[in-house]
Amino acid sequence: AMKRLVAALPKPKNMNLTGRTQQELFILGLYETIDRQAIQNAYMWAHKIYHGATSSSNAAIDGRALDFGTLSFFHGYAPVQIIPDDGPNGDAKTFVQELWRDVFEAWEKVLPPELKAVFPAKQSLYDHFTKKYELERRKELVRMGGVINEIVPELTSSPEARALGETVFTIATAGYGPTIEVWQKPMEEIPIPPGRYNLENIYNAMAAADLKSELAMNQAVAALLPDAALRQTFVSQYKAVFLKQRVLAEKLGVSAIAESNYRRAAASMRNKAMDQVIKDENSWKRMDDVLLKYRNTRDSSLIQNFVQSRVDLSRREFRDAAPLTVVLSEKRSGNGDRVREVFDARDNKMRTINIPLNKSGVQQQMQECEKKLVEKAA
């Protein structure tokens, strides 16, 4: 298996690998694997999703997470611990101890000599993961404020966004106490306390305020962020980041008002509470009702439709959305077709998109949006 390791490791995107040695490909693939795990787990934390059972057996070499039996969704960023063998949600040390240590110690023993000769020191790999994970957590928190997807790499890497990311991280994690060990009781019986601030409400209030007026933004979040010094820092940094977004968006043909509307729509979607998939008393009751109906009818579609409806109602991201658009909702018809409500920043319009069963969302959205733009130009 180790002889095939280099071929199995993921390859960095948009990089010419022609002529690279096996040792070079091994190092590139090694860091790409680490980065993918860091990005994925940072995204999950920012969106209040916790895998709950970190281990080398629950992570694929291409960066995917495996085994979702303990996957949990929360309303905030409480340091919840799902099982006794794992660490609390958001703890970078958990990934080092429960995931990477097992992998790298095993590789050290069985790597072919030519790869072992270039295998980096394990601590440097642990440090690389931790640095990447912490950076990506903050980048995603900034994106959740309404960053236009097409400019995410440029904007979230800017000094302005890095400063905002630190402040938003402080806001998101403020007010939580020690680790909450939910494995000791059924999760629905253990209260998960909220943090000091509600990031969803803060971002939505900021998106609705006048971006050019710090006074208006301060007033919009005064009750949500009562700490005056923290609020002023946040408002100033938010303004700097999204005024920069406005400049970048204009180069893509997006007007200032369309940028504002995109930001409002995106912030609303990316921060919305995922009530339908939270493990609480109401969720368990709904599941019990569906299972009872299934036992009486043996109709498996009851379970399939229930799961799909829960996912649809809590869905935040639509990866097949057309460029410069935000999908605000998606409903499925009886024949499997999808109906989406979409905001298009190119012409600052809301529209309904019908997506046939066998067609991708981006294809249909692009077709519908281009049609509208042509009609407008005519």
Side-chain angles (χ1 to χ4, degrees):
M2 285 295 104
K3 293 181 180 179
R4 299 185 178 89
L5 177 62
V6 173
L9 287 168
K11 307 297 187 293
K13 293 181 179 178
N14 305 318
M15 181 181 290
N16 185 1
L17 302 178
T18 304
R20 300 275 189 167
T21 66
Q22 287 292 99
Q23 289 179 326
E24 290 173 329
L25 291 173
F26 169 63
I27 294 299
L28 288 170
L30 171 62
Y31 282 105
E32 179 69 14
T33 296
I34 295 172
D35 287 352
R36 289 189 183 189
Q37 283 290 340
I39 292 168
Q40 174 182 245
N41 285 289
Y43 177 92
M44 290 174 67
W45 176 86
H47 289 268
K48 311 179 186 77
I49 306 169
Y50 183 33
H51 184 282
T54 307
S55 71
S56 57
S57 62
N58 286 341
I61 199 170
D62 63 1
R64 290 174 297 134
L66 306 173
D67 189 348
F68 297 103
T70 54
L71 188 72
S72 301
F73 300 77
F74 300 104
H75 286 301
Y77 298 95
V80 175
Q81 183 179 356
I82 303 295
I83 60 174
D85 294 335
D86 207 6
N89 182 25
D91 181 24
K93 293 179 182 178
T94 298
F95 296 104
V96 170
Q97 295 170 355
E98 304 297 335
L99 169 58
W100 296 120
R101 183 168 294 172
D102 287 350
V103 172
F104 295 149
E105 287 182 354
W107 283 13
E108 249 186 347
K109 296 175 183 177
V110 297
L111 280 173
E114 66 274 15
L115 298 185
K116 187 178 292 187
V118 297
F119 189 57
K122 295 193 297 295
Q123 188 59 52
S124 72
L125 297 176
Y126 301 151
D127 292 344
H128 178 88
F129 170 84
T130 300
K131 182 178 180 180
K132 182 72 172 176
Y133 172 68
E134 296 296 353
L135 175 63
E136 293 297 329
R137 283 210 285 179
R138 288 154 177 80
K139 281 187 174 183
E140 184 58 26
L141 286 175
V142 171
R143 191 186 79 91
M144 289 167 65
V147 177
I148 296 172
N149 281 329
E150 285 65 37
I151 62 175
V152 163
E154 182 174 0
L155 186 60
T156 59
S157 297
S158 68
E160 296 91 340
R162 292 204 177 198
L164 176 61
E166 288 295 339
T167 300
V168 177
F169 184 84
T170 297
I171 292 170
T173 56
Y176 290 109
T179 299
I180 302 168
E181 299 174 328
V182 302
W183 52 272
Q184 295 184 348
K185 294 181 180 179
M187 189 179 296
E188 65 272 17
E189 296 180 11
I190 299 180
I192 309 296
R196 187 173 300 150
Y197 307 116
N198 185 309
L199 189 58
E200 176 187 2
N201 292 343
I202 290 170
Y203 264 151
N204 286 334
M206 290 293 283
D210 181 359
L211 182 60
K212 293 186 176 181
S213 171
E214 287 198 17
L215 175 60
M217 288 188 287
N218 256 293
Q219 291 174 339
V221 294
L224 300 169
L225 265 178
D227 183 322
L230 179 60
R231 182 173 69 249
Q232 183 57 53
T233 298
F234 170 69
V235 167
S236 297
Q237 292 171 344
Y238 179 97
K239 178 182 177 181
V241 168
F242 288 103
L243 282 179
K244 188 179 184 74
Q245 164 157 289
R246 221 162 247 195
V247 173
L248 296 172
E250 187 177 11
K251 297 176 182 178
L252 300 176
V254 176
S255 68
I257 186 64
E259 181 279 330
S260 179
N261 288 330
Y262 181 105
R263 180 160 36 92
R264 186 181 301 189
S268 173
M269 282 299 294
R270 294 171 190 171
N271 292 277
K272 76 172 184 178
M274 295 183 284
D275 294 325
Q276 304 300 327
V277 288
I278 299 290
K279 292 179 178 177
D280 59 15
E281 185 176 352
N282 291 330
S283 293
W284 290 114
K285 185 178 185 306
R286 287 195 298 265
M287 285 188 281
D288 287 343
D289 290 344
V290 171
L291 288 173
L292 179 60
K293 291 178 182 177
Y294 168 72
R295 292 190 188 100
N296 292 332
T297 64
R298 293 299 170 181
D299 180 2
S300 60
S301 68
L302 291 170
I303 296 176
Q304 294 167 353
N305 292 337
F306 173 78
V307 171
Q308 187 62 60
S309 69
R310 300 303 94 186
V311 172
D312 286 345
L313 288 169
S314 289
R315 190 172 180 183
R316 292 181 172 190
E317 302 278 3
F318 294 81
R319 297 296 183 181
D320 63 345
L324 302 175
T325 67
V326 179
V327 180
L328 297 173
S329 69
E330 179 180 271
K331 296 180 180 179
R332 296 169 190 265
S333 63
N335 61 4
D337 291 354
R338 291 168 290 160
V339 180
R340 287 182 175 177
E341 296 300 320
V342 178
F343 172 74
D344 187 348
R346 294 180 299 174
D347 62 355
N348 195 35
K349 298 288 185 182
M350 284 291 302
R351 55 176 52 94
T352 301
I353 306 294
N354 294 288
I355 306 174
L357 178 61
N358 296 319
K359 199 166 188 177
S360 75
V362 67
Q363 288 176 326
Q364 189 66 19
Q365 278 187 234
M366 286 294 288
Q367 180 178 319
E368 295 278 349
C369 294
E370 293 294 346
K371 179 181 176 182
K372 296 292 183 182
L373 289 172
V374 169
E375 290 174 355
K376 181 180 179 182

